[in-house]
């Protein structure tokens, strides 16, 4: 079944059933492998993308649920928030293996867009 979705400001047509998880569309059909598979249960956050600016776990988000909303992966994230976060990640040596960093950066960018001065409690809530 042919479906059109908007990913990183580009319209893409994929051949996938409506019940296919968005993660598999990104990684398998579109070869966009920067969004990672972690737990498959929406617990770890490695698969996080933005859907209309809201952090969403792509491993449990069905293609049919995306509709005409915009999907942004770590590759398409732009703006002052992500630039500041990348600099901060580097300055304090956050990166270890890097596998889950994309999901963490997407969650943090959404938090900063919503709340410029988040508290520790805000950060904990956004990262869970």
């Amino acid at each position: 079944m042919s479906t059109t979705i908007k990913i990183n400001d580009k319209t893409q047509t994929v051949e996938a059933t409506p019940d296919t998880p968005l993660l598999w569309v990104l990684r398998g059909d579109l070869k966009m492998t920067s969004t990672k598979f972690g737990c498959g249960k929406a617990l770890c956050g490695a698969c996080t993308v933005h859907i209309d600016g809201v952090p969403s776990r792509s491993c449990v988000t069905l293609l049919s649920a995306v509709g005409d909303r915009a999907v942004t992966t770590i590759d398409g994230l732009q703006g002052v928030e992500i630039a500041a976060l990348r600099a901060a990640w580097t300055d304090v040596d956050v990166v270890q293996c890097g596998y889950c960093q994309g999901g963490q950066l997407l969650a943090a960018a959404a938090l900063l867009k919503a709340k410029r001065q988040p508290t520790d409690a805000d950060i904990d809530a956004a990262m869970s």
Side-chain angles (χ1 to χ4, degrees):
M1 171 177 275
S2 185
T3 302
T4 302
I5 56 177
K6 186 176 181 182
I7 302 174
N8 297 336
D9 293 324
K10 184 177 177 186
T11 300
Q12 302 272 0
T13 301
V14 296
E15 295 295 326
T17 60
D19 62 346
T20 303
L22 177 59
L23 178 62
W24 300 138
V25 171
L26 294 171
R27 292 184 61 79
D29 297 321
L30 299 174
K31 309 300 184 217
M32 299 175 78
T33 58
S34 62
T35 302
K36 305 298 185 192
F37 174 78
C39 66
K41 297 180 182 182
L43 301 172
C44 73
C47 68
T48 300
V49 297
H50 285 179
I51 299 178
D52 277 351
V54 177
S56 304
R57 310 291 199 206
S58 64
C59 70
V60 296
T61 302
L62 301 181
L63 181 59
S64 61
V66 174
D68 61 356
R69 298 181 297 161
V71 176
T72 305
T73 69
I74 191 64
D75 296 318
L77 194 60
Q78 299 176 359
V80 295
E81 292 88 3
I82 192 61
L85 286 167
R86 285 183 173 137
W89 247 244
T90 301
D91 288 347
V92 297
D93 294 323
V94 170
V95 178
Q96 292 175 24
C97 78
Y99 194 82
C100 59
Q101 298 300 302
Q104 291 175 354
L105 285 164
L106 281 155
L111 173 62
L112 289 177
K113 191 168 269 263
K115 190 165 192 172
R116 290 279 178 205
Q117 297 283 328
T119 65
D120 285 346
D122 295 329
I123 294 167
D124 291 343
M127 298 299 170
S128 61

